[in-house]
Amino acid sequence: GAGVSQSPSNKVTEKGKDVELRCDPISGHTALYWYRQRLGQGLEFLIYFQGNSAPDKSGLPSDRFSAERTGESVSTLTIQRTQQEDSAVYLCASSLPIAGGGVSAKNIQYFGAGTRLSVL
Amino acid sequence: GQQVMQIPQYQHVQEGEDFTTYCNSSTTLSNIQWYKQRPGGHPVFLIQLVKSGEVKKQKRLTFQFGEAKKNSSLHITATQTTDVGTYFCAGHGAGSYQLTFGKGTKLSVIP
């Protein structure tokens, strides 16, 4: 697609329910990131996928959070037994393959419009 | 772990005034990126700096990367209402794929 696509754009759920958020990255972008942005706050790194390598899950706040990605395509972020503190915008970003931080335009991250999650 | 601090958190300026936001990293960065997030929108890439002491300009925006590659600044000359938004800096540590974001500076421009 032309850009990073996320769905749904808005999700309202009841406390204790599970939710699944979807991210469709830019074609050819093997790197995919999930971030959480609470109201008025910065971006909190959650998880990173790079091709077929093991994902970096170091940012996931609890075991209620999990994410999957099949190959270099769509990723889903699942939050189980949602809590009110999970309310936030969940942003997905993708980038070209990168070997490490540094000196290439490949490092540019392209963000989706996000999913606004509200837990009542 | 790597931390990126950004100040100020908020800035209100009169239209036409200048604006600067500062970014400081706890560790040496291999690059610094700046993103802009309009109200209700998502972050959009502005620029990347890689070299020590590098300065880049985009119209009224001037970006600097410090000599030690641990700090950066974004300066906007003669702000306009279209500059409203939150400006984030973000950097990669040496050899790291993880981009660490600052908490952003929210700019309000009073017409």
Side-chain angles (χ1 to χ4, degrees), chain A residues 33 35 37 40-43 45 48 56 58 91 98-105 107-109 111-113, chain B residues 9-10 30-31 33 35 37 40 42-45 48 50 88 92-93 95-99 101-104:
Chain A
Y33 303 78
Y35 297 90
Q37 186 174 33
Q41 301 297 309
L43 279 71
F45 167 78
Y48 163 76
D56 176 357
S58 61
L91 290 160
I98 54 175
V103 298
S104 167
N107 296 331
I108 298 169
Q109 294 192 12
F111 285 83
Chain B
Q9 188 175 0
Y10 301 96
S30 51
N31 65 341
Q33 297 179 352
Y35 292 78
Q37 185 174 26
H42 58 276
V44 174
F45 173 81
Q48 175 169 255
V50 173
F88 293 97
H92 287 97
S96 172
Y97 51 76
Q98 190 176 129
L99 192 61
F101 281 81
K103 291 192 181 298

Side-chain angles (χ1 to χ4, degrees), chain B residues 3 40 61 66 89 98 100 106:
Chain B
Q3 293 186 354
L61 279 60
C89 64
Q98 190 176 129
T100 301
K106 185 174 181 178

Side-chain angles (χ1 to χ4, degrees), chain A residues 18-119:
Chain A
D18 297 353
V19 295
E20 191 173 276
L21 313 180
R22 176 188 168 106
C23 173
D24 199 345
I26 293 172
S27 178
H29 282 196
T30 59
L32 187 147
Y33 303 78
W34 282 99
Y35 297 90
R36 179 171 68 180
Q37 186 174 33
R38 290 198 166 106
L39 186 64
Q41 301 297 309
L43 279 71
E44 179 186 356
F45 167 78
L46 296 178
I47 191 168
Y48 163 76
F49 294 92
Q50 170 65 29
N52 293 316
S53 301
D56 176 357
K57 305 180 181 180
S58 61
L60 294 178
S62 77
D63 58 8
R64 296 186 295 104
F65 288 72
S66 63
E68 292 184 351
R69 187 184 188 196
T70 304
E72 300 176 358
S73 60
V74 170
S75 174
T76 55
L77 176 68
T78 301
I79 308 173
Q80 294 178 311
R81 306 181 302 282
T82 51
Q83 303 294 313
Q84 288 184 333
E85 64 261 27
D86 299 333
S87 296
V89 175
Y90 290 82
L91 290 160
C92 174
S94 71
S95 71
L96 288 167
I98 54 175
V103 298
S104 167
K106 292 178 179 180
N107 296 331
I108 298 169
Q109 294 192 12
Y110 296 85
F111 285 83
T115 294
R116 183 176 299 277
L117 175 65
S118 300
V119 182

Side-chain angles (χ1 to χ4, degrees), chain B residues 65-79:
Chain B
F65 198 12
E67 294 288 342
K69 301 184 75 172
K70 294 180 73 173
N71 57 69
S72 180
S73 65
L74 158 60
H75 179 83
I76 303 178
T77 303
T79 54

Side-chain angles (χ1 to χ4, degrees), chain B residues 36-75:
Chain B
K36 178 182 178 180
Q37 185 174 26
R38 294 182 186 276
H42 58 276
V44 174
F45 173 81
L46 293 177
I47 205 160
Q48 175 169 255
L49 304 173
V50 173
K51 300 176 183 176
S52 170
E54 189 171 9
V55 178
K56 286 189 176 180
K57 292 191 175 185
Q58 288 180 350
K59 297 182 180 178
R60 294 178 295 105
L61 279 60
T62 302
F63 304 84
Q64 287 189 306
F65 198 12
E67 294 288 342
K69 301 184 75 172
K70 294 180 73 173
N71 57 69
S72 180
S73 65
L74 158 60
H75 179 83

